[in-house]
Amino acid sequence: MGSEEQTRMEEMFDNLRADKYPLKEYTYIGKRIPRRIDGVVKAAGQAVYTMDVQLPGMLHMRFLTSPYPHAKIKNMDTGKAEKLPGVRTVLRYDDPEIPEFAPISGHTPTADEPPLPRIAHFQGEEVGAAVAADTETIAEQALTLIKTDWEERPFNLDTEAAPLQDTAIANLEMYPDSNHINEGLLDVLELGDVEKGFAEADKIFEFKSFRRLHTWVGPERPCGVIKWNGDCIEAWVKQQRPHIAKRVISKWFGGIPMNQIQVHCLSQGASFGGWSQTNWNMGGHYCAAVIARRTGRPVKWTFNRREDFYGGSMDEGAYFYKVGAKEDGTITAVWGDSILSNQIYPVFNPLKHLVENTRIPNIYCKHKVVMINKGPTVPTRCEQNSAAHAFTMIFDHVAGELGLDPTEVALKNDGADGHDMDWLNQQKAKRGFEVRDSLRECVEKGKAAIGWDEKWHPPGEKKLANGRMHGLGFTWTHEWDDSAGSSEMAIRIERNDGTATILGMGCDNGVDAESSYCQVAADELGMRLEDVHYNPQFDPGYFRMTPDSSTNMSINGFAVRHAARILKKKILEVATTPVGKSQRGEFPPAFPDAGPEELNIKDSVIFLKADPEKKMPLSELVGASFNSGPLVDPEALGVRTPFTVPLFAFGYHTQTGTYQPNQPRPRFCRQGHFMEVEVDTDTGQIIVTRVVNTNDVGKVINRASCEGQQYGGTYMGVGRGISEEVIYDPVTGVMLNGNLLDYKIATILDSGPIDTILIESGMGYGPYGVVGIGEDIATLIPTLLGPAVYNAIGVRINDFPITPDKILTALGKV
């Protein structure tokens, strides 16, 4: 990166952070608000999800799935299925309206796939045929009547063995020569000189770890509804990015104008990556659209529970490390080699976090992505699971090898881009932040909450009165800062009553983002929170950055804040401007002797700063103006409703798997997590007795939402750590536990008490100094189980999930 380009990017980010009109005090931001917009309907079971949609005359569509992990359809006979009473049509892979490739995901130009594939690359993949019938039961019965002649192909399921020359090729059509799919493509991360770093080390050690495949199953399975209204399409999508759905639908049938496509994105169950990220996530909609046009009826497609096990998280694979460190815990070099499977985004190097938020000067990692005959691996509550896994394993191994307290090792190596804390503090000051030691605050608060100084002990040395072994674990990293993308959000003041409506379609995935944006709008406008409302499920023509997961407050927060500030300025201008003329004459301004700068708004009431008793409710201003005519010249605004303020706020973020020296945006906010466990050495059972989360979120916007992310991320992470694994039969390639009986998902009761500690340093790049939290906890907690178990039993288990049989094997009992 050239110096001019670097300077330009630094100025852009500084301008994003600059707050020319800071709020002096917050009425709602950061407070525990008395309402949650979606709270009542969801708690009462009244919320409507895509799976709930029922339309008159609606057909039900189901897909044929492959019984083999790698096979091609040679011939297909659908005659019996077509004759079954209640079957309306059978759509086949060889139908003229089914192209060889179509824009199915919209993620990248290379993500196009067959809407009805002829070749299966994993067992259970939707291939070959789709049946639409009067009921789902009839559609399922028809699938059993389809006679398919398969050409079975060799398959491979072993990530570590996949790159070897004598291993079966998993996808001959896309990668005919090798299973290594990202060779030469953003697959090397390098900083400094690792050989020099190893020469400076007092101790060098090597180890290997594994992360087994886990998936994204949740309460709502993949589904969707398509309906034609003449030449227009109406779509109900289970999709984190409805704007992508609208764009992709437009491309399917000759470029249908976007204004002829109406998208509904209802409440979303289990939308935290996963299905929405796969290349084929719009495949069902494509086939449903073809059938709906032919039959003139709405078509609903669904997956069953087994089919929901379509793919998994993108951290499955083998990790190899060589680490050098000083006796005091200073890490001098890290070398890594990873082999991960089936990533559709093969750009997240496992040592990424080591570069981004440590002082380690010498880092090298070769990151291989290979194809195997399992489903695609995609971001599932985070795309950086592999980075968090590697980070935790490396730091805890250093502490263990040197006999040091892991929290002290963390503090000793904190920094960024290979630089120490002095350099990082200079960057904070340069950007106008208060210089605070975020990690130290996280560590001190977390240690106090879990009783670290009293409880921590050398590995394998504390047996409890109940006979179990006691263990403590710690991990840390930086907070996520923002997501690549842009946001379009608007705020409209409703005529007659003066309430505010936020406009901007997005994914309502349960994190209560909508209340958060209302808090921002209410504080910035000076309105009562109950006077601001937001329903993200309808399409107003604006789309916010979604999903609202780890970081999108950094994007959407700017958009809604800017809209509110511009809108407030317009309101105050209207209050000091003549309304206009009507048959009853000219109407004077509400505040005839004041300028806009002399007014303010609080509790939805406009008042004169110098004399607060001179005031007018916003509802009265708007209502009176509406009754007398337009508030301002409608031609000047281009709309008759003068308070509709479309505003677009863009965030910029470089996502690359290759390290860029002197990148202009170091992360300042940290997070730390502590886990206490008991291990039964007779049965191998792990009991998680306590988890403490400390997250520096920069600035809390919605306190309950932040705490909810910590709770949800903890139990989800514990499940990934102790039990979640998709198991395949190595002989047949068939998935053996594609159900919720054999695939063990944790509940909140499996985590023990959870402490949720929020720190507000103000050092985030988002509005008010905010930084993300949503994906953090579930990304770090799964691997934190490893340090906690090691501290309990004194034996390393680097194979996740850590199940009872692995405990007993490590202890030599089986």
Side-chain angles (χ1 to χ4, degrees):
M1 181 184 296
S3 58
E4 292 185 4
E5 174 69 6
Q6 179 177 328
T7 300
R8 184 188 68 80
M9 291 181 70
E10 287 184 348
E11 290 176 350
M12 179 173 65
F13 292 135
D14 287 344
N15 287 337
L16 280 176
R17 174 65 186 90
D19 209 339
K20 297 180 181 179
Y21 309 101
L23 291 173
K24 300 297 183 182
E25 60 183 34
Y26 303 106
T27 303
Y28 303 109
I29 290 174
K31 306 299 174 59
R32 196 175 299 280
I33 60 175
R35 67 160 192 181
R36 172 173 170 151
I37 288 179
D38 62 351
V40 173
V41 293
K42 288 182 177 176
Q46 298 170 345
V48 177
Y49 293 78
T50 309
M51 186 67 78
D52 298 325
V53 174
Q54 298 291 334
L55 302 178
M58 185 174 72
L59 299 178
H60 297 263
M61 187 176 75
R62 299 281 284 109
F63 289 93
L64 184 71
T65 60
S66 171
Y68 305 108
H70 195 190
K72 180 178 180 179
I73 297 173
K74 294 194 295 184
N75 295 292
M76 177 179 287
D77 183 353
T78 57
K80 288 185 177 180
E82 292 167 354
K83 294 176 182 178
L84 183 68
V87 171
R88 300 304 170 182
T89 189
V90 177
L91 192 64
R92 296 165 48 116
Y93 66 92
D94 52 2
D95 189 282
E97 283 200 81
I98 298 297
E100 184 176 0
F101 293 98
I104 296 301
S105 76
H107 293 303
T108 66
T110 60
D112 294 357
E113 289 196 356
L116 274 179
R118 184 177 184 179
I119 301 172
H121 296 102
F122 58 94
Q123 188 269 325
E125 183 175 9
E126 280 64 28
V127 291
V131 175
D134 292 341
T135 69
E136 189 172 348
T137 299
I138 295 174
E140 290 176 345
Q141 184 181 357
L143 290 174
T144 66
L145 301 177
I146 296 176
K147 183 178 179 181
T148 307
D149 185 11
W150 295 92
E151 174 193 301
E152 293 187 58
R153 294 180 170 184
F155 64 90
N156 80 78
L157 303 173
D158 189 336
T159 301
E160 191 173 356
L164 303 179
Q165 291 185 352
D166 59 350
T167 304
I169 301 298
N171 191 324
L172 290 166
E173 286 67 37
M174 293 188 68
Y175 308 102
D177 300 320
S178 171
N179 287 317
H180 184 185
I181 66 174
N182 74 319
E183 191 165 10
L185 175 65
L186 300 174
D187 57 355
V188 174
L189 182 151
E190 188 169 9
L191 173 67
D193 183 343
V194 291
E195 292 305 321
K196 177 176 179 290
F198 287 131
E200 296 172 351
D202 295 326
K203 189 167 186 177
I204 298 173
F205 56 94
E206 301 181 46
F207 66 97
K208 177 180 179 180
S209 69
F210 294 91
R211 171 66 245 191
R212 308 296 174 176
L213 184 67
H214 60 90
T215 190
W216 57 68
V217 292
E220 187 182 25
R221 306 184 302 276
C223 58
V225 179
I226 293 285
K227 177 185 177 185
W228 286 83
N229 299 311
D231 293 330
C232 301
I233 286 184
E234 193 170 3
W236 287 259
V237 298
K238 174 177 164 52
Q239 167 62 260
Q240 289 183 204
R241 297 176 172 89
H243 60 286
I244 288 181
K246 192 168 185 176
R247 184 175 72 238
V248 170
I249 290 171
S250 175
K251 293 180 179 180
W252 285 345
F253 303 101
I256 298 174
M258 297 284 276
N259 61 5
Q260 293 178 210
I261 303 170
Q262 183 180 6
V263 173
H264 306 275
C265 190
L266 307 180
S267 297
Q268 303 284 295
S271 287
F272 39 80
W275 168 252
S276 291
Q277 304 280 3
T278 65
N279 282 348
W280 201 76
N281 75 79
M282 290 291 291
H285 292 286
Y286 187 98
C287 296
V290 172
I291 293 176
R293 185 164 62 175
R294 289 182 182 178
T295 62
R297 297 169 65 173
V299 175
K300 180 179 184 178
W301 65 273
T302 57
F303 278 13
N304 62 26
R305 176 57 69 196
R306 166 60 184 81
E307 292 161 0
D308 194 9
F309 285 77
Y310 184 91
S313 181
M314 59 195 300
D315 54 345
E316 186 206 24
Y319 304 75
F320 307 87
Y321 312 101
K322 180 180 178 181
V323 183
K326 298 282 191 180
E327 292 287 353
D328 66 355
T330 301
I331 302 174
T332 60
V334 178
W335 173 93
D337 189 4
S338 62
I339 306 175
L340 305 183
S341 69
N342 289 8
Q343 293 186 352
I344 66 170
Y345 307 114
V347 294
F348 298 101
N349 195 291
L351 298 192
K352 181 174 183 283
H353 285 195
L354 287 182
V355 171
E356 291 175 335
N357 61 301
T358 77
R359 62 180 293 177
I360 302 172
N362 307 296
I363 300 171
Y364 178 90
C365 185
K366 176 78 171 181
H367 173 43
K368 303 183 185 71
V369 177
V370 297
M371 286 294 297
I372 62 175
N373 293 112
K374 298 179 183 178
T377 61
V378 294
T380 303
R381 189 82 186 237
C382 190
E383 70 279 3
Q384 299 185 46
N385 291 322
S386 59
H389 175 87
F391 193 92
T392 298
M393 296 300 292
I394 288 168
F395 265 89
D396 196 66
H397 274 70
V398 170
E401 290 288 328
L402 298 173
L404 300 174
D405 183 328
T407 63
E408 294 302 321
V409 176
L411 291 168
K412 187 171 290 292
N413 289 281
D414 193 10
D417 305 326
H419 301 292
D420 62 15
M421 287 298 294
D422 289 340
W423 179 88
L424 191 63
N425 288 334
Q426 291 174 10
Q427 305 307 308
K428 297 172 188 175
K430 178 181 178 182
R431 288 159 175 77
F433 293 118
E434 176 188 355
V435 177
R436 294 173 60 170
D437 191 334
S438 180
L439 178 59
R440 189 170 296 277
E441 291 186 50
C442 289
V443 167
E444 289 176 352
K445 291 181 182 296
K447 287 174 67 174
I450 205 165
W452 181 274
D453 290 338
E454 299 80 29
K455 295 179 180 179
W456 189 78
H457 52 80
E461 293 192 6
K462 186 174 181 179
K463 190 170 186 178
L464 300 171
N466 60 15
R468 299 171 183 159
M469 300 301 293
H470 173 269
L472 282 175
F474 165 76
T475 189
W476 68 287
T477 186
H478 62 279
E479 295 279 352
W480 297 185
D481 54 356
D482 69 43
S483 294
S486 62
S487 177
E488 308 164 355
M489 297 182 75
I491 307 175
R492 180 182 67 226
I493 296 294
E494 302 290 351
R495 297 186 290 185
N496 278 341
D497 68 358
T499 57
T501 300
I502 299 176
L503 305 174
M505 193 174 205
C507 168
D508 174 10
N509 63 353
V511 300
D512 198 26
E514 294 70 37
S515 295
S516 305
Y517 302 137
C518 287
Q519 288 173 264
V520 171
D523 263 341
E524 290 289 348
L525 288 167
M527 296 181 68
R528 299 181 303 173
L529 185 62
E530 57 264 36
D531 291 339
V532 183
H533 187 68
Y534 181 26
N535 177 4
Q537 298 182 4
F538 75 97
D539 178 1
Y542 308 119
F543 292 90
R544 75 185 194 217
M545 178 62 194
T546 60
D548 295 277
S549 50
S550 63
T551 60
N552 293 132
M553 178 58 74
S554 300
I555 303 296
N556 298 326
F558 273 123
V560 73
R561 188 188 74 170
H562 295 344
R565 289 182 175 180
I566 289 177
L567 181 54
K568 182 177 181 179
K569 182 180 178 181
K570 288 182 176 291
I571 292 171
L572 298 182
E573 287 174 351
V574 166
T576 56
T577 303
V579 172
K581 296 181 179 181
S582 73
Q583 294 179 350
R584 291 177 287 171
E586 184 171 344
F587 290 83
F591 295 84
D593 300 321
E597 69 281 357
E598 298 177 74
L599 302 179
N600 203 353
I601 307 174
K602 184 177 181 180
D603 295 332
S604 300
V605 175
I606 307 169
F607 63 92
L608 190 65
K609 294 178 183 178
D611 185 1
E613 292 302 315
K614 294 183 178 179
K615 58 189 176 181
M616 174 181 285
L618 180 58
S619 58
E620 185 177 329
L621 173 74
V622 175
S625 301
F626 172 65
N627 291 332
S628 62
L631 299 180
V632 295
D633 181 5
E635 293 183 358
L637 285 171
V639 291
R640 188 168 180 81
T641 306
F643 287 139
T644 301
V645 185
L647 182 75
F648 304 88
F650 295 90
Y652 178 83
H653 180 56
T654 300
Q655 289 192 357
T656 175
T658 303
Y659 172 65
Q660 295 185 359
N662 302 315
Q663 58 180 339
R665 204 172 183 187
R667 281 78 169 174
F668 302 133
C669 297
R670 301 288 188 254
Q671 55 177 307
H673 303 279
F674 300 78
M675 179 183 289
E676 188 171 12
V677 302
E678 296 179 7
V679 178
D680 188 326
T681 56
D682 291 327
T683 65
Q685 183 183 13
I686 303 169
I687 301 95
V688 179
T689 58
R690 192 174 195 87
V691 176
V692 173
N693 304 305
T694 57
N695 287 86
D696 177 5
V697 296
K699 173 63 184 174
V700 174
I701 302 297
N702 184 337
R703 187 165 297 275
S705 180
C706 288
E707 291 171 347
Q709 290 299 313
Q710 292 174 309
Y711 282 117
T714 295
Y715 89 79
M716 185 178 288
V718 167
R720 291 178 177 181
I722 65 175
S723 61
E724 289 193 42
E725 179 182 2
V726 181
I727 299 173
Y728 287 81
D729 180 0
V731 177
T732 64
V734 172
M735 184 188 297
L736 299 177
N737 63 335
N739 58 73
L740 295 184
L741 179 63
D742 300 316
Y743 184 85
K744 306 296 185 181
I745 296 178
T747 72
I748 198 70
L749 298 178
D750 293 302
S751 304
I754 301 171
D755 287 18
T756 58
I757 299 173
L758 298 169
I759 296 167
E760 299 181 89
S761 69
M763 296 191 299
Y765 291 107
Y768 318 109
V770 73
V771 74
I773 184 175
E775 294 181 350
D776 297 345
I777 299 90
T779 308
L780 283 163
I781 293 296
T783 309
L784 178 55
L785 197 74
V789 168
Y790 169 64
N791 187 249
I793 65 176
V795 181
R796 287 283 183 191
I797 300 176
N798 295 338
D799 191 349
F800 296 81
I802 301 178
T803 50
D805 60 305
K806 295 174 184 176
I807 296 279
L808 297 177
T809 299
L811 294 173
K813 295 190 174 185
V814 294

